Amino acid sequence: EVQLVESGGGLVQPGGSLRLSCAASGFWFSIKDMSWVRQAPGKGLEWVSTINRSGAYKYYADSVKGRFTISRDNAKNTLYLQLNSLKTEDTAMYYCSIDQGREGNAYSSVAGRGQGTQVTVSS
C-alpha cells in the first residue's frame, strides 16, 4: 500500500521559510518521479513542483519558481520542499504525490486521502 506522510508545515510570517518533508513507503520510491501540489482555502488543487527519480531534473510552477526548492533522498525514501520568501498567497495545504502531471485536477485523489501539511503565511 502506498503511504505518503507529509510534515513540516506551520505558521510563518511573510518572507519566512519552512521545509516540508514527505515520508514514502509501500512502493519503490527511487524509481518514481515525485511531485508537490497544494490547495488554498476555497480553491482547486495547484501543481507546485516535480522532481525526477534521480533528482537531476526539477520543475516548478511559475508562482513558486526561484523561491521553492524540491529535493529528495532516495536512501531515506523522503521527498522535501524548501519554501523560502513565503507570501500570504502560499497559504495552503501541501501534499506530496507520485507524479501525475502538471494539472492540479489530476491529484484529486491525493487531496482526498486527508493528510497533507498546512502552511499558513500571515503577519
Side-chain angles (χ1 to χ4, degrees), residues 99-111:
D99 181 47
Q100 305 288 339
R102 304 293 183 267
E103 293 296 325
N105 288 339
Y107 295 87
S108 57
S109 63
V110 173

Side-chain angles (χ1 to χ4, degrees), residues 75-93:
K76 295 182 178 180
N77 284 1
T78 303
L79 178 71
Y80 302 99
L81 188 68
Q82 178 69 39
L83 287 61
N84 295 331
S85 302
L86 281 161
K87 304 176 181 180
T88 54
E89 52 262 44
D90 295 317
T91 294
M93 186 70 78

Side-chain angles (χ1 to χ4, degrees), residues 54-67:
S54 72
Y57 298 98
K58 304 175 184 182
Y59 309 92
Y60 300 94
D62 288 344
S63 58
V64 307
K65 198 172 295 181
R67 301 187 298 119

Side-chain angles (χ1 to χ4, degrees), residues 25-114:
S25 62
F27 66 102
W28 199 346
F29 178 78
S30 63
I31 67 168
K32 294 292 187 181
D33 296 351
M34 297 294 295
S35 293
W36 287 95
V37 296
R38 66 185 181 183
Q39 187 166 29
K43 296 188 177 180
L45 286 161
E46 177 188 14
W47 170 77
V48 174
S49 183
T50 296
I51 187 168
N52 82 317
R53 60 186 183 177
S54 72
Y57 298 98
K58 304 175 184 182
Y59 309 92
Y60 300 94
D62 288 344
S63 58
V64 307
K65 198 172 295 181
R67 301 187 298 119
F68 291 8
T69 302
I70 192 171
S71 62
R72 66 191 297 161
D73 186 334
N74 286 342
K76 295 182 178 180
N77 284 1
T78 303
L79 178 71
Y80 302 99
L81 188 68
Q82 178 69 39
L83 287 61
N84 295 331
S85 302
L86 281 161
K87 304 176 181 180
T88 54
E89 52 262 44
D90 295 317
T91 294
M93 186 70 78
Y94 285 71
Y95 302 92
C96 64
S97 171
I98 295 171
D99 181 47
Q100 305 288 339
R102 304 293 183 267
E103 293 296 325
N105 288 339
Y107 295 87
S108 57
S109 63
V110 173
R113 62 181 162 86

